[in-house]
Amino acid sequence: MIEAISSRAPGFRPRVAVLLGSGLGSFVDEMKVLAAIPYAELPGFPRPTVRGHEGRLVLGHLGSTPVAVLQGRAHYYEFGRADEMRVPIETMAELGCETLVQTNAAGSLRLDMPPGSLMVITDHINFTGINPLFGLGANRRFVDMVDAYDPALARRLLAAAKAANIRCHDGVYIWFCGPSFETPAEIRAAVTLGADAVGMSTAPETILARHAGLKVAAVSVMTNFAAGLVPGVIGHDQTIAVANASSSQLRLLLRRFLESYG
Ligand code: HPA
């Protein structure tokens, strides 16, 4: 696998892996691309079924930082497996990445964080009872989740946002497994538990990344107010449309963050 990837970009060693969420794949337009490999050519990589997820590994540079971009993820709700992203994430670690930067589309639990807002994730609540490490042996499965979202990287993301004049919040992400959206009662419970944003991804990938020894940073784009917070219905079309519309801010933020990754 590593040889298959390395042969497409000889001598290339990425430092940062970027995992792009729904409607956010256009980030690769910011890169100097060396190679783009469909997941279908990489054994163990998933076949995303969700519109807005390309399913390609893109290798290249942002400024002078070598990055490997996972353009599209598979979610628990697609196949009933929380470890669909295990091989891609472990492959990022084997390629030499030290950090996984994730993006996602999320529902906002805060009225001061309307659709289009960005939020750096500082912690998560796994509300599903499901774990991508189920079934793994060895003591390594008991992964420490304190500071799972690296505080120094979160601070650097917020500083990059400030420098680029991008309003950016920070807060706690709660993982619901989907694919149905949450009920208003579930969202009231999530607010009581201390969550700021809700989504159907990211938490399992963070667990997998910590298991693989990667540092994690993550940014959510609010595509809607969560169920019951304001009148109206929620749908995937809105997720894609708002994520696309807000992607320029997120692209700018990631570019600033990665160019100065150091
Ligand atoms: N809930 C769960 N996942 C989401 C939402 C939401 O409201 N919006 C975008 N992804």
Side-chain angles (χ1 to χ4, degrees), residues 38-62:
Y39 287 176
E41 293 176 22
L42 299 170
F45 276 54
R47 309 275 176 278
T49 61
V50 185
R51 195 159 44 89
H53 287 262
E54 302 278 348
R56 291 193 310 170
L57 171 64
V58 182
L59 307 174
H61 289 91
L62 243 135

Side-chain angles (χ1 to χ4, degrees), residues 26-32 61-63 248 251-252 255:
S26 69
F27 169 72
V28 299
D29 298 347
E30 302 280 339
M31 293 169 59
K32 276 197 288 311
H61 289 91
L62 243 135
S248 58
R251 276 167 60 166
L252 181 58
R255 176 148 63 81

Side-chain angles (χ1 to χ4, degrees), residues 102-250:
Q102 299 201 57
T103 70
N104 64 40
S108 172
L109 305 191
R110 283 169 41 183
L111 291 173
D112 69 338
M113 210 160 61
S117 304
L118 300 183
M119 186 190 92
V120 169
I121 300 178
T122 53
D123 204 349
H124 79 220
I125 298 171
N126 177 355
F127 202 63
T128 64
I130 294 156
N131 196 292
L133 306 181
F134 281 163
L136 290 191
N139 281 345
R140 280 185 56 232
R141 73 184 125 174
F142 301 112
V143 176
D144 179 19
M145 293 298 288
V146 175
D147 290 342
Y149 297 84
D150 189 88
L153 292 178
R155 277 195 297 275
R156 277 160 61 178
L157 273 167
L158 289 165
K162 200 164 177 200
N165 234 340
I166 297 169
R167 177 128 198 260
C168 191
H169 303 259
D170 63 327
V172 173
Y173 176 94
I174 188 165
W175 176 35
F176 277 71
C177 64
S180 54
F181 284 104
E182 301 71 33
T183 63
E186 287 166 344
I187 292 303
R188 285 195 299 276
V191 171
T192 304
L193 292 175
D196 300 288
V198 59
M200 303 178 194
S201 68
T202 305
E205 292 88 345
T206 296
I207 295 169
L208 288 165
R210 296 303 297 142
H211 181 254
L214 293 165
K215 292 192 275 190
V216 176
V219 188
S220 295
V221 178
M222 300 308 130
T223 53
N224 54 281
F225 282 119
L229 237 66
V230 295
V233 294
I234 303 171
H236 190 60
D237 288 344
Q238 183 185 358
T239 300
I240 299 284
V242 180
N244 279 329
S246 320
S247 64
S248 58
Q249 294 245 304
L250 182 61

